[in-house]
Amino acid sequence: MSDVVETPVLHVSRDQLIETVAGLRDEGYVSALDVTAVDYMEHPGRTDLPPEVEPERFELVVTLISHTTPGRIRLRVQVPADDPTVPTLFDLFPGTEALEREVADMYGIVFEGHPDPTRILMPPDWEGHPLRKDFAVGRIPVQFKATR
Amino acid sequence: MSAPETTVETATDEAVRRREDSAVLRIGEDDGERLEAESNASDTSMIMNMGPQHPSTHGVLRLMLEMEGETVMRSKPVIGYLHTGMEKTAETLTYLQGPTNVTRMDYAAPLFSELAFSMATEALLGLELPPRATWIRMLMCELNRISSHLLFQATNGMDIGAVSMMLYGWREREEALRLLETITGLRMNHNYIRPGGVAADLPDGWRDEVLTLIDALPARLKEFDTLLTGQPIYRERLQGVGVINTAECLALGVTGPILRSTGYAWDLRRDMPYLAYDEVDFDVVVGTYGDCFDRYDIRLNEIRESIRILAQILDQMPSGDYRVQDKKVTPPPRARIDESMEALIHHFKIFTEGFKVPAGEVYAAVESPRGELGCYMVSDGSAVPYRMHIRGPSFVNLQTLPHLMRGGMVADAVAIISSVDPIMGEVDR
């Protein structure tokens, strides 16, 4: 195989997310490396989900790292399009603050209990969530204050 | 029943404290002026803007500082001024075009983003690289680490007021960049490391050029020591400034020199080896106090470790192919195109349509000069990534700024931003 060590994947539901991450933290996963999301709108036939997991449009992807036995673990959380809310991981890993803000900005996923739910990369008055698959590339008009 | 309840209780208390006593100023990026106008005369604090156009912010970083006299209380980094939607763009580029995109993220260490992207693609493809490709990648990454850390030395010196250091640092960096240009054709944004190997074999005489560089550098680094390390004014500006501890670093997801400055030895090259880092001998440099000076010193000594690694690469560079001989991902050699129609079509197809990558998802990470640079990639089986996310170390490390600056002078803020060494291209993507 190549250089990349396969990361074990856990599928968790939204209600179990906090509990699972807290448990993993106690097991030695000391740091939350990455929080990101995927919009599976155009890729509904994905085959890598186990049968018991109901596919939804959005998927939150959390990567944790353990240093004592070097290794990462990836959590995949299904987030439905009609209720895109997830509990925040801020209280467990404060470092997820900016990463969650980015996901909220780019995908419109709301992190419940997040201390600073503002846009991070896009301007505060931007409409829409650019990384969603229904947000076209190069869409006009460009929404900047000065152009209005 | 009662025991778990107590744990929940303390956890909540801690959470409340963390939210309320935080060093982070949590107001909207447009709210500073309004809050200033509303504040009454007895309120001694003021909200001050630093940036986005400020020479010490290394690009377009804006900081909102809550000031009490000249002391920084809470603060908030405001980013996004350089956001160009590179992750969105990546969803329209083939796997072969991808490195041209990611290389523009961390423009001081472009080869690392290319490497993370390529490693993720290769993991999805299940490709095994020829040894020479691996070693060339390692050679290039260490050269790039040197040039990136030299840039840090230059800008750090300049920010503190040691302006002559800027010239020294840049002179040395230019030597390293010239070598990168000889090998890749470009000073920056190389697009050299690609899925399947590297773009071209090392040119004739590369060995002598690398030797010239690594022979010259140690003496130059000694000059840095004279100029900065042993200089009392410089030490006074950095020692004990911007202190962070290991627990804070881990909680904030911080990696790289900032984490190592707290005395915590964590380096992906040693602890989760990729490429052929398990076959070379080097030390992980750690600090003691987690202050600005330790972060400076770590980067200086990492240049020395990179020189050590380069010397071993020169000795052990294997011969063979510089890219994988898999016709699916590798275009035919240039000479074949002149004599074979099939080769021409093959070449054309790879560069227009790209190659299909099996469906799946993967996270690949490398140790960039700034910390763990990860690439999360989802493929739907087509020739472009369905989703490509770069976990930029600068983006996460930037969250330490409010914690490092709290209670310090505004002049220290400049030293602290410099010591975190953020590259805004990677922060904003």
Side-chain angles (χ1 to χ4, degrees), chain A residues 47-63:
Chain A
T47 47
D48 59 343
L49 288 178
E52 67 274 13
V53 176
E54 184 73 24
E56 298 284 358
R57 176 173 169 186
F58 297 112
E59 186 177 288
L60 189 76
V61 184
V62 181
T63 309

Side-chain angles (χ1 to χ4, degrees), chain B residues 59-268:
Chain B
V60 281
L61 170 66
R62 175 179 153 206
L63 288 169
M64 291 168 90
L65 307 174
E66 186 189 44
M67 308 282 299
E68 191 85 59
E70 214 180 315
T71 311
V72 180
M73 303 309 284
R74 291 178 298 168
S75 52
K76 176 182 185 174
V78 180
I79 60 173
Y81 294 93
L82 221 53
H83 177 64
T84 47
M86 290 165 111
E87 290 183 3
K88 185 81 173 172
T89 311
E91 292 171 9
T92 64
L93 299 175
T94 66
Y95 288 95
L96 213 51
Q97 293 166 331
T100 61
N101 182 36
V102 295
T103 194
R104 280 156 175 79
M105 290 181 176
D106 184 349
Y107 40 75
L111 286 161
F112 292 91
S113 328
E114 296 173 17
L115 178 63
F117 181 92
S118 303
M119 276 168 56
T121 312
E122 284 151 11
L124 286 171
L125 283 164
L127 280 185
E128 173 125 33
L129 286 194
R132 188 175 171 86
T134 306
W135 283 79
I136 293 178
R137 285 178 172 192
M138 218 157 76
L139 170 87
M140 299 305 287
C141 282
E142 289 313 311
L143 284 172
N144 203 179
R145 192 184 308 277
I146 290 178
S147 79
S148 171
H149 281 338
L150 286 170
L151 177 71
F152 165 79
Q153 304 294 334
T155 53
N156 189 49
M158 184 174 66
D159 290 340
I160 307 299
V163 182
S164 44
M165 186 56 216
M166 177 192 89
L167 299 169
Y168 282 84
W170 253 311
R171 181 186 68 183
E172 267 58 281
R173 173 173 181 256
E174 210 53 44
E175 305 273 319
L177 289 187
R178 195 172 305 139
L179 184 49
L180 288 178
E181 186 182 1
T182 316
I183 297 172
T184 70
L186 293 163
R187 283 173 74 245
M188 298 166 88
N189 303 339
H190 311 278
N191 186 22
Y192 181 70
I193 297 177
R194 298 178 186 180
V198 293
D201 205 352
L202 296 169
D204 293 343
W206 67 273
R207 199 177 286 271
D208 293 336
E209 297 215 26
V210 176
L211 262 179
T212 317
L213 182 77
I214 63 175
D215 283 347
L217 266 180
R220 306 277 175 89
L221 296 182
K222 266 227 152 65
E223 291 179 3
F224 289 15
D225 276 336
T226 318
L227 262 168
L228 298 180
T229 317
Q231 207 229 59
I233 303 173
Y234 183 75
R235 291 184 82 112
E236 200 67 29
R237 283 296 305 276
L238 295 185
Q239 280 179 328
V241 170
V243 180
I244 194 164
N245 65 33
T246 310
E248 288 171 327
C249 277
L250 292 175
L252 289 170
V254 172
T255 47
I258 307 179
L259 177 60
R260 289 194 286 273
S261 74
T262 64
Y264 191 86
W266 178 258
D267 188 321
L268 290 182

